[in-house]
Amino acid sequence: MKTQYYTATTIDGFIADPDNSLDWLFEVDDGGDANPFGEFFDGVGAFAMGATTYEWVLAHENAVEEPEKWLSPYGDTPAWIFTHRELPRIPGAHLHFVRGEVAPVHREMTAAAGEKNVWLVGGGELVGSFADAGLLDELILGVAPATLGTGAPLLPRRLTSQRLSLTSVSQLGQFANLRYAVTPPTA
């Protein structure tokens, strides 16, 4: 079982523009039917996201009014939403709204995931909290041929090559797919 950050990023390391838009992402050729997300998600037993990511899903997928847009890709896989504010609940979705330290929530997530992996959807600050706590095992990055210059950073932390080891490189359409093993911080 691994805790994985699987996301798309621009060449200059942003996952969203300053307005939290992902328009840049949908302009990129992803290779069509070869998209590996379905296979990846088959190995996921629980996932977490921050409030901004959840709000993007609500706004762009209209998931409260059309819950099948959440349920179709994620089914009944439990999700933890880290937030400090009240957010609408998607009908039929297995959601846990949480706040505070990531370590106790991670224990709940790994228990729920069983033999499967935990996926950290984003954003970068939330994933950084998991990395700080030594609870991030792998980065899976789809690097898109785009630059934004500013926006939401991929991972607003200093992680040097002493903590990151490249494990694979592949191409999917215009994306460079990179996998890195992540080791816990040293004391």
Side-chain angles (χ1 to χ4, degrees), residues 49-88:
M49 65 180 66
T52 302
T53 303
Y54 182 73
E55 288 175 316
W56 186 91
V57 171
L58 294 178
H60 291 86
E61 297 294 331
N62 197 27
V64 172
E65 289 78 23
E66 300 176 63
E68 66 278 1
K69 292 203 174 167
W70 176 278
L71 298 171
S72 176
Y74 307 131
D76 64 353
T77 304
W80 279 256
I81 314 302
F82 283 81
T83 184
H84 292 288
R85 56 190 178 275
E86 292 295 317
L87 295 171

Side-chain angles (χ1 to χ4, degrees), residues 29-132:
D29 172 22
D30 65 1
D33 294 336
N35 189 317
F37 179 77
E39 182 180 333
F40 167 80
F41 196 75
D42 286 344
V44 171
F47 62 104
M49 65 180 66
T52 302
T53 303
Y54 182 73
E55 288 175 316
W56 186 91
V57 171
L58 294 178
H60 291 86
E61 297 294 331
N62 197 27
V64 172
E65 289 78 23
E66 300 176 63
E68 66 278 1
K69 292 203 174 167
W70 176 278
L71 298 171
S72 176
Y74 307 131
D76 64 353
T77 304
W80 279 256
I81 314 302
F82 283 81
T83 184
H84 292 288
R85 56 190 178 275
E86 292 295 317
L87 295 171
R89 183 174 288 279
I90 299 169
H94 189 170
L95 302 175
H96 305 269
F97 292 94
V98 296
R99 65 185 70 197
E101 297 296 317
V102 297
V105 175
H106 186 259
R107 285 190 293 275
E108 291 175 31
M109 293 173 65
T110 56
E115 299 287 319
K116 292 187 170 188
N117 297 322
V118 170
W119 173 32
L120 304 178
V121 181
E125 183 59 40
L126 175 63
V127 175
S129 296
F130 280 85
D132 293 346

Side-chain angles (χ1 to χ4, degrees), residues 141-163:
L141 308 175
V143 182
T147 61
L148 297 177
T150 187
L154 168 68
L155 191 59
R157 295 292 190 279
R158 181 182 171 99
L159 296 179
T160 66
S161 61
Q162 293 181 349
R163 288 193 58 200

